[in-house]
Amino acid sequence: MAFSPASRVQDYLVFGEFGDVNPSITDSSTYTFLSPERMEELFEHEIEGCFLYSRHFNPTNKYLASALERMEDGESAQVMASGMGAISTTLMTLCGAGDEIVCGRSIYGGTYALLKNLLPRFGVNTRFVDLCNHDAVRAAMTPRTRVLYCESLSNPLLEVADLPALAAIAHAQGAQLVVDNTFTPMILSPLRHGADVVVHSLTKFVNGTSDCVAGCVVASRDFISRLNDINAGPSMLLGPVLDSTRAASILKNLHSLHIRLRQHGANALYLARRLEELGHAVHYPGLTSHPHHQLLTQLMNPGYGWGGMLTLDAGDLAAANRLMTLMQRDKVGYLAVSLGYFKTLFNTPGHSTSSEIPPAEREAAGLREGLIRFSIGLDEDIAQTTERIENCLSEAEVRGNL
Ligand SMILES: *Cc1c(COP(=O)(O)O)cnc(C)c1O
């Protein structure tokens, strides 16, 4: 039987205080103890069902963490106030001064800036490599490398990480494989392919309504204990705690994620096929022409589609800007950063979400000026949306090569 993240989430049952079908929302920052001894014990080690202070853990955040832990088939999880909170605290748990990170060169701009600009101030340095070139990855690893970092489906170029191969390379060097699975929740289960830690920006597909910012880390019980440790854990001490009312609403949205993914994926595949037919430079992992289509098909959990992200190269920035302005006018969606929303969002990563990466490095990684990244929405009538896009393409004079 194939692994089913959606069934794992569905089978996670928690009730409210009065048998409410949704778990009660924690409205407290602190928790009472029936004896001083019990409180002292909790400072030494975690006690199941016992809470101390909401920055450490609270029941609502624990429910969401448990559901995500089941979705990723991990041992334990922690939720955070943002995806960046999840990424930064994970890397600070694994690395200290003198340690090194090897990271894919096509990654989220905020992650790039963290690795390139902030972590070096604490003595943690990163080499950026082409993750498709396994010899280059191996060559970048040194005895000081603690982390091999990648995105399951890279931002914005949609390269698929060969997770089993990257895990083998990391482990051979005594490093851990950390995977950002934001673009492919449920579709990929990195821990089942050898990853040690999975991080998400829940802000995107998992929540799906673009109404809050949140993140999570899923890993071994030991890792999450280190992350949350009262005396030395980066999550506990830097404090990116998720508000419990948000945790409750994200948990409710998580229960419809599999259905949304199917619609995002079916719509994206329809549009990608049509654009390809018209000879446009479209990139979508569901197309057999995508260089990593086979790899993703091999690794993915069946039944959720190939995701909602696709890219279109409009040729140059001016053409991309014309096209995006027209698409917003014609109600294709919004000119906005972020992704995983029920409406289509589009932007040019070179001038927004990846602008942290210097132009020369963007060019080397194949991130071209006219590249538009789409997060395809849940449109009821994708044929109509596709027609609107085709009209915008001709009005913007973006031509396929046919
Ligand atoms: C948005 C995003 C992040 C950062 O998450 P926030 O919730 O905005 O902090 C990290 N990785 C990827 C792939 C993202 O798309």
Side-chain angles (χ1 to χ4, degrees):
M1 261 275 283
F3 176 70
S4 167
S7 304
R8 293 290 306 271
V9 169
Q10 185 181 333
D11 286 348
Y12 179 62
L13 300 180
V14 265
F15 302 104
E17 199 181 350
F18 301 100
D20 332 13
V21 293
N22 289 311
S24 306
I25 298 174
T26 305
D27 193 29
S28 293
S29 57
T30 191
Y31 302 81
T32 187
F33 284 80
L34 294 182
S35 76
E37 293 77 17
R38 191 76 168 156
M39 181 184 277
E40 200 175 336
E41 203 187 325
L42 193 65
F43 268 89
E44 277 149 27
H45 60 88
E46 248 185 83
I47 308 169
E48 182 75 30
C50 216
F51 295 91
L52 173 72
Y53 185 63
S54 280
R55 170 153 46 78
H56 186 233
F57 244 130
N58 67 62
T60 312
N61 289 7
K62 192 96 187 166
Y63 294 145
L64 176 59
S66 298
L68 292 163
E69 162 196 317
R70 292 178 63 91
M71 176 181 90
E72 287 292 359
D73 203 19
E75 269 181 16
S76 190
Q78 168 69 301
V79 293
M80 302 275 175
S82 69
M84 287 312 300
I87 294 165
S88 56
T89 54
T90 290
L91 294 176
M92 289 180 97
T93 300
L94 291 169
C95 300
D99 291 339
E100 295 174 3
I101 297 171
V102 172
C103 178
R105 63 183 182 177
S106 160
I107 55 162
Y108 178 69
T111 307
Y112 176 86
L114 171 73
L115 294 170
K116 183 85 174 183
N117 306 328
L118 184 58
L119 288 186
R121 287 177 45 199
F122 302 94
V124 178
N125 290 299
T126 298
R127 284 160 216 247
F128 295 92
V129 295
D130 175 3
L131 289 177
C132 304
N133 181 347
H134 294 171
D135 289 332
V137 177
R138 248 179 245 110
M141 311 268 303
T142 75
R144 306 257 29 174
T145 308
R146 296 282 169 267
V147 171
L148 177 55
Y149 186 95
C150 71
E151 292 174 0
S152 50
L153 189 60
S154 78
N155 183 2
L157 292 173
L158 311 181
E159 294 168 337
V160 180
D162 188 342
L163 298 171
L166 294 174
I169 294 172
H171 297 158
Q173 295 282 338
Q176 310 254 296
L177 180 64
V178 176
V179 180
D180 179 337
N181 200 23
T182 300
F183 279 24
T184 47
M186 290 192 173
I187 298 169
L188 282 171
S189 303
L191 297 177
R192 296 176 62 87
H193 294 297
D196 301 283
V197 181
V198 169
V199 293
H200 279 275
S201 167
L202 302 176
T203 314
K204 316 295 171 55
F205 287 101
V206 171
N207 187 49
T209 42
S210 289
D211 54 0
C212 71
V213 173
C216 76
V217 183
V218 188
S220 67
R221 203 164 284 121
D222 174 64
F223 181 83
I224 300 298
S225 302
R226 281 163 59 204
L227 182 75
N228 288 343
D229 187 85
I230 292 176
N231 292 305
S235 157
M236 180 64 181
L237 300 178
L238 297 176
V241 62
L242 180 61
D243 184 79
S244 54
T245 52
R246 280 309 186 184
S249 68
I250 296 167
L251 178 58
K252 282 175 279 192
N253 287 0
L254 175 63
H255 282 280
S256 62
L257 174 60
H258 59 299
I259 300 168
R260 290 185 279 117
L261 285 172
R262 282 176 200 141
Q263 188 75 11
H264 285 299
N267 284 352
L269 183 61
Y270 181 98
L271 175 63
R273 281 185 175 151
R274 180 66 188 145
L275 292 174
E276 183 170 61
E277 215 175 85
L278 294 170
H280 288 287
V282 61
H283 234 61
Y284 180 66
L287 292 174
T288 50
S289 59
H290 187 284
H292 303 148
H293 177 74
Q294 278 306 351
L295 175 63
L296 181 56
T297 306
Q298 228 174 64
L299 296 179
M300 68 199 238
N301 297 310
Y304 306 106
W306 280 276
M309 303 303 294
L310 71 80
T311 64
L312 172 70
D313 192 341
D316 56 53
L317 180 63
N321 286 344
R322 279 198 307 275
L323 179 60
M324 293 192 299
T325 307
L326 293 171
M327 289 193 298
Q328 182 155 261
R329 181 198 69 187
D330 289 354
K331 302 189 169 64
V332 169
Y334 296 126
L335 168 55
V337 300
S338 201
L339 50 125
Y341 187 43
F342 45 76
K343 292 195 187 208
T344 295
L345 303 177
F346 40 81
N347 65 277
T348 45
H351 290 262
S352 56
T353 47
S354 298
S355 58
E356 294 91 338
I357 304 174
E361 287 176 49
R362 291 203 298 260
E363 194 68 28
L367 205 174
R368 296 162 47 111
E369 285 281 292
L371 193 80
I372 302 176
R373 184 187 78 178
F374 287 80
S375 167
I376 304 300
L378 301 175
D379 306 31
E380 162 74 1
D381 187 350
I382 189 65
Q384 185 196 61
T385 306
T386 303
E387 232 172 81
R388 288 179 183 174
I389 294 173
E390 283 177 42
N391 291 335
C392 295
L393 282 162
S394 13
E395 193 177 336
E397 296 183 349
V398 176
R399 310 210 183 285
N401 53 20
L402 295 183

